[in-house]
Amino acid sequence: MITAYYRFESLSQTVRNAYKINSPSRIDCVAVWNPKGYSGLNVYRSPKGMLFFYFVESRDLVKTGDLRRASYALSNGKQNLTSLYFDRSGSKQYRYGFPNGKLVLYDGSPNPALPYRHDAYLFICDWKRQVIELLVIQDGKPFIDSLYHDLVNGKYEKQLRRIRMDAGPYFLYNSL
């Protein structure tokens, strides 16, 4: 069911200093599990090969109904990966989202994430440790509500334990 897994963390101050990372809202991909070669996040990769996002407040609170809300987004500074939605009935630890499905971005340029617009993103957030785990479900957007509730209800726990053990580094950070 899970197509790919990405683990994002706030890096240690030593590593942040070595790579001249100044933003406290930046989280970097430190681990990945991607046996099927999912390429939907490749459009966000930096020229150095890093994958990172800024955890930022949404420009405007995204309201899509009484139960579904998003006040935060993951952005690479040029475009958003997704807003982080949550259902009030769910745990604050869990969020969901999906790629931008518009043909063009805000600046009028073509949307490089358009081919992935039908994918679903599920997030497990450890707010205290500044860790966000992203589970990608390819072509799962039509089923996002069900997938989210399955996550909240623990349906993926067994698979996640195995994935976390099998995940490897995305980029080899060192303190130079």
Side-chain angles (χ1 to χ4, degrees):
M1 177 69 84
I2 298 172
T3 305
Y5 165 90
Y6 299 85
R7 180 182 173 93
F8 294 88
E9 296 180 6
S10 180
L11 299 172
S12 72
Q13 194 58 50
T14 304
V15 174
R16 295 171 73 78
N17 290 343
Y19 286 89
K20 298 181 176 130
I21 299 169
N22 297 319
S23 175
S25 66
R26 177 171 156 168
I27 55 173
D28 286 67
C29 186
V30 297
V32 64
W33 174 84
N34 191 1
K36 297 178 183 178
Y38 178 76
S39 58
L41 269 63
N42 290 352
V43 301
Y44 302 97
R45 192 178 328 164
S46 77
K48 293 180 181 179
M50 300 172 186
L51 179 61
F52 62 87
F53 294 102
Y54 300 99
F55 183 72
V56 297
E57 287 190 47
S58 295
R59 281 184 233 148
D60 298 313
L61 178 66
V62 178
K63 258 192 230 188
T64 57
D66 288 338
L67 293 178
R68 189 172 77 164
R69 303 204 181 270
S71 55
Y72 293 99
L74 292 176
S75 172
N76 69 354
K78 296 178 184 170
Q79 76 178 88
N80 286 354
L81 170 68
T82 185
S83 292
L84 297 173
Y85 296 98
F86 68 98
D87 182 325
R88 284 192 186 168
S89 65
S91 168
K92 293 187 179 197
Q93 173 184 12
Y94 303 109
R95 299 285 193 263
Y96 64 94
F98 26 81
N100 182 348
K102 295 181 180 175
L103 292 173
V104 295
L105 299 176
Y106 183 71
D107 65 2
S109 63
N111 178 5
L114 187 65
Y116 309 100
R117 68 188 174 277
H118 300 294
D119 297 343
Y121 298 150
L122 299 173
F123 297 95
I124 303 169
C125 306
D126 182 336
W127 304 113
K128 289 181 184 177
R129 292 180 44 223
Q130 296 180 323
V131 173
I132 296 179
E133 295 174 288
L134 165 58
L135 315 176
V136 177
I137 312 294
Q138 195 166 13
D139 297 320
K141 184 176 178 181
F143 314 104
I144 194 72
D145 290 333
S146 172
L147 294 167
Y148 173 73
H149 290 292
D150 286 347
L151 176 67
V152 170
N153 292 324
K155 182 177 179 181
Y156 302 113
E157 280 307 312
K158 187 176 181 180
Q159 186 179 10
L160 269 171
R161 279 193 294 275
R162 190 186 78 248
I163 287 172
R164 288 173 178 138
M165 288 190 316
D166 292 344
Y170 186 89
F171 180 85
L172 295 176
Y173 292 93
N174 58 47
S175 57
L176 300 175

